[in-house]
Amino acid sequence: LEAIRCFYEGIACLSLARDTRQQKYRCAGEKAVKEIAKFEQISEWNFQNKSKLLQAELHYLNDNLQAADDAYNASIMSAREHRWFNEEALGYELYGLFLIENKFVGSGTNHLHIAIEKYRKWGAMKKAMDLQLLVDLVDPSYLRKHKIN
């Protein structure tokens, strides 16, 4: 249970560090990256994708975009191989947001669409609906259809 708390706290703190530039969130996020790496040494099956996703978020925070891109993809692949469907969806979601925030809107929305389908497959219908609302706001085809600049 501690590992799961550490993982989600790390995801939240790294995102907050990126948004606010507050050192306390960076420190908590970096600590989570180290802790999950220790869990990965114990069980690669259970923690490899989590470790890669936290590393991706840390690379993104540090503006190391290529390393972030590689780590997002590695996390998604690991989650798929180890059948962590919910975390595969989370990987696609965070990677999609990363792409959109870095001006790759088309590819980012494609990844968010995949995340939505993965969340639905997992049974997280509310999460899928909430993410669809976000996609509708950033999807270029939706913006053109509704004449939004």
Side-chain angles (χ1 to χ4, degrees):
L1 199 53
E2 175 65 19
I4 301 306
R5 182 205 54 79
C6 180
F7 171 65
Y8 286 105
E9 184 176 282
I11 292 293
C13 286
L14 291 168
S15 178
L16 285 166
R18 206 170 46 251
D19 291 344
T20 68
R21 297 292 176 195
Q22 291 186 34
Q23 191 64 27
K24 67 181 179 180
Y25 295 125
R26 173 185 281 280
C27 290
E30 289 172 344
K31 181 179 177 189
V33 170
K34 291 175 186 169
E35 289 298 312
I36 293 298
K38 291 177 189 174
F39 284 110
E40 182 184 10
Q41 296 303 310
I42 297 167
S43 176
E44 185 176 288
W45 183 277
N46 288 322
F47 295 102
Q48 182 182 54
N49 75 295
K50 295 169 184 67
S51 181
K52 295 293 184 196
L53 193 54
L54 284 169
Q55 290 170 21
E57 290 286 293
L58 182 59
H59 288 309
Y60 185 18
L61 174 62
N62 291 331
D63 291 323
N64 189 343
L65 302 185
Q66 185 57 57
D69 192 273
D70 294 343
Y72 283 118
N73 282 303
S75 174
I76 291 166
M77 183 180 299
S78 175
R80 183 181 311 121
E81 288 173 1
H82 298 131
R83 296 187 297 278
W84 288 97
F85 303 118
N86 58 321
E87 292 170 10
E88 183 183 2
L90 179 60
Y92 275 111
E93 178 182 358
L94 295 179
Y95 186 39
L97 294 173
F98 163 81
L99 290 168
I100 290 167
E101 290 169 4
N102 286 284
K103 312 282 190 262
F104 297 99
V105 176
S107 182
T109 55
N110 288 341
H111 282 79
L112 292 179
H113 283 293
I114 294 169
I116 290 166
E117 288 309 309
K118 299 289 181 181
Y119 282 128
R120 285 184 180 139
K121 181 180 176 183
W122 186 52
M125 300 309 180
K126 175 68 170 129
K127 176 63 179 173
M129 288 179 358
D130 288 347
L131 192 53
Q132 183 63 59
L133 291 173
L134 175 65
V135 169
D136 289 344
L137 293 175
V138 297
D139 190 330
S141 61
Y142 178 88
L143 298 174
R144 281 192 300 278
K145 179 181 174 184
H146 296 283
K147 296 180 175 64
I148 300 170
N149 292 332

